[in-house]
Each structure stands twice: as structure tokens, then as C-alpha cells.
Amino acid sequence: MTDTPRSVPVSPGDPATAGKQPPAPDAPRPAAPAESGSAVVSSDTPLPGAPPPAGKPAATAEEVSGAPRYTPPPEPAGSGAPAPGNRGTTPYDATETGVAPGQPVYGPPGTGPDPNTQVYGHQMYGTGIPGRLDIGHALSYGLEKFKLNPGPWVAVTSLGLIIYLVFYLVVRVVEPSSVLGLFVIFAAVMAGLWLLQAAMVRGALYETDGYRPGFGSYFYLGSMANAFLTALLAFLATTLASALCLIPGIVVGIGCMFSLHFAIEQGQSPVEAIKSSFLLVLRDPWRVLLLVLTVVAVTALGLLACGFGLLAAGPVAVIAVTYAYRTLTGGPVSPV
């Protein structure tokens, strides 16, 4: 007598026969029950669990009536390729083929910045394409930038008036009788004015970059000692040249007008900054001279209102000079 296995169904994929004992080999096969509303099963239709006819492929699980569809389990989070809709939406979490995990993804090739465009930041002298200096546009640019961010500019420029008032009060109260005492007070005031000038240059560089600086941003000078020594060396050179004659003093003063820009933005030493400033002025000396005369006229107009006009004239002049620096060096100039 042959034992018939009782734990193996006739068709593993047929839930109707799952758990039932198989019929005997010589027993007649029961007819499939007809479902309500279904068509009559012809003799060509194979019964569930029966082997396929010769010459025909086996029916899939979806083709067998009542067979469950197999759905693969979802992959755990973080494994496999990312979803198509999430690619590039989170640069520091997305995963690309050939990119190490944790590296930023910036998009497909060809979507980055144009290598021919000018780059913001610390540009070395002569790397950009120098432009033509327009004096009228430089002043209008400085005025519009000041109007868009007047509060911090007025606050920083007010420090100059405060320094002047402190100097006046100290001289009236102390009344120094010695030359040494007067020199110490004068040196302290000049040091404060030089640092204030460097802070205004820093703010003007931010403005031409397209960033509206707050009050504290004006004093991000990098190396404050370098900016101070550059202003001191430019002052001494101008003073010594003026002692020889007025014309050499004016020439040296104009030649040093961009020295703080090179010292603050590009971190050049005082001597290198002054040399770079002279070379930049020589690129277009007549237009730079016209800019200087225009800035002097604007500053004189600011003095007419008891000095309070300098709260607006000073920032406009500094931004205009910085605009000239960026234009002559081919640096970036943000639109107004």
C-alpha cells in the first residue's frame, strides 16, 4: 500500500485546496464549482492545479482565478536607489551613482555656473575684465545703494562725528600744553578715523557684492592691524609728499585711494596694497582724477549743513569709489 502525503496540497498556489488532503490517485476528479455570473467552463479550460496542455506555457499566478498576487515587500529606508522624485531635493542626503555617501549632489552635468562668468569673492588683481569707468553712474550707484540701506550707513558714519566731538571735548577740558600730549590725542583720533574709513570700505565692498550689511558687518576687516597699517602708511606717504610740494601730495593721495580695498578684500600687505592702488589708478588716471574731484565736491556739499550732510555724502562717496575699484579691476558689481 502506497502512503499518500497529507501535508502537500495539489496546487501550492490554489488557496481553495490549501490545508485539504489530496484525493486518491484513482479517484475521479471533482468538477470545479461554477461561480455566479461567470461563463461556462469549456473543455479547453484547464482546471485549477492541473498541468498545462502540451505545447502551451504554464499559467501565471495572475492568470489563475483566485490566486493571490505576490507583492514584494518595500525596501528598507536608506537602501537601494533614491526615489525619482527625491533626487536632488536634499543635496546632502541624496545618493548618486559614483558619489560617496555624505557628499553633496549639485545636479546633472551642465547645470552648474558658467565658467566664463565673473566670480564673487576674493579676486586677485587683473583676473577680471576691466570696464570703463562712468563717473555719473558711479555716483548714482552710490546714492541708490545708500537709499536701499540707509540705517547702518548713518550709524557707522555717525561714529566719525562722535570721534570729532570727543576730540573737541578732550582738548577743551584737558588743554594740553605740551606737544607730546597734543600729538597723542591727535594720533588717537586719526587711528579711530582710519579704522572707521576701513569699516566703510568693508561695507561698500559688501554693497557691490549685493549684500546689505548690518552694523556689525562693517567691522569684519579680516586683519584689523593690516588695515590700520595700510591707512597709516598711506597717510605718512601723502603727508611727506605734501611737505615737499602740494602737487606731489595730491598725486600720492590719489594713488593711495584704493589701497584699503586691496588690503581688506585681497589681504595684501600695506606696501603691496599701495603699489596695487597706484597701478590701478594709472590704468585710467584722468577718469580717476575726475572721480576724485566729484567726490570732493559731494563732500563739500555735505559740510554745508553743519556737517550732518556727511551722514549721506560720506557713504555715497565711499560706495562710488568702491564701484570704481570693482569696475577697473573687472570685479563683480551687483545691480541696484
Side-chain angles (χ1 to χ4, degrees):
M1 179 177 180
T2 305
D3 294 335
T4 302
R6 300 178 180 273
S7 60
V8 180
V10 176
S11 177
D14 191 355
T17 60
K20 296 182 180 180
Q21 296 182 3
D26 54 350
R29 185 178 301 273
E35 298 181 359
S36 58
S38 61
V40 178
V41 180
S42 64
S43 59
D44 296 335
T45 304
L47 295 176
K56 293 185 179 182
T60 60
E62 291 80 359
E63 295 174 351
V64 179
S65 175
R69 178 186 295 270
Y70 172 75
T71 302
E75 296 182 358
S79 64
N86 296 332
R87 185 180 298 273
T89 56
T90 54
Y92 289 94
D93 295 331
T95 304
E96 292 282 355
T97 303
V99 180
Q103 296 297 324
V105 179
Y106 299 101
T111 59
D114 187 359
N116 296 324
T117 57
Q118 298 175 359
V119 180
Y120 286 76
H122 297 274
Q123 295 191 110
M124 296 305 294
Y125 174 74
T127 57
I129 301 176
R132 181 181 178 87
L133 179 59
D134 188 338
I135 308 302
H137 187 68
L139 288 178
S140 62
Y141 183 87
L143 180 60
E144 293 299 325
K145 285 292 187 179
F146 171 74
K147 289 165 60 177
L148 292 175
N149 192 31
W153 277 109
V154 172
V156 172
T157 311
S158 299
L159 294 178
L161 297 178
I162 294 174
I163 293 174
Y164 172 76
L165 292 176
V166 170
F167 171 74
Y168 178 78
L169 292 176
V170 169
V171 171
R172 291 297 301 268
V173 173
V174 178
E175 295 182 354
S177 56
S178 62
V179 178
L180 179 62
L182 185 61
F183 175 78
V184 170
I185 297 175
F186 176 77
V189 171
M190 292 303 297
L193 292 177
W194 291 335
L195 292 178
L196 177 62
Q197 182 183 5
M200 296 180 69
V201 169
R202 174 71 273 179
L205 289 171
Y206 279 137
E207 293 284 0
T208 52
D209 280 335
Y211 169 71
R212 298 180 186 178
F215 181 79
S217 301
Y218 288 79
F219 301 94
Y220 293 156
L221 302 178
S223 177
M224 188 173 294
N226 188 45
F228 175 80
L229 292 176
T230 301
L232 174 61
L233 185 59
F235 173 78
L236 293 177
T238 304
T239 303
L240 292 177
S242 299
L244 299 176
C245 186
L246 181 62
I247 301 299
I250 295 176
V251 171
V252 174
I254 295 175
C256 296
M257 65 182 299
F258 299 118
S259 57
L260 279 176
H261 296 80
F262 284 99
I264 294 173
E265 185 181 40
Q266 302 187 16
Q268 295 185 0
S269 65
V271 176
E272 291 176 344
I274 292 176
K275 179 181 178 181
S276 299
S277 179
F278 268 91
L279 293 176
L280 188 61
V281 170
L282 292 177
R283 177 168 294 177
D284 196 352
W286 299 112
R287 291 185 179 275
V288 172
L289 177 60
L290 182 59
L291 175 64
V292 171
L293 295 177
T294 306
V295 167
V296 170
V298 171
T299 306
L301 292 176
L303 290 172
L304 296 180
C306 299
F308 289 99
L310 291 176
L311 297 178
V316 171
V318 174
I319 297 175
V321 172
T322 305
Y323 172 87
Y325 160 77
R326 284 287 177 84
T327 301
L328 293 176
T329 57
V333 177
S334 66
V336 178

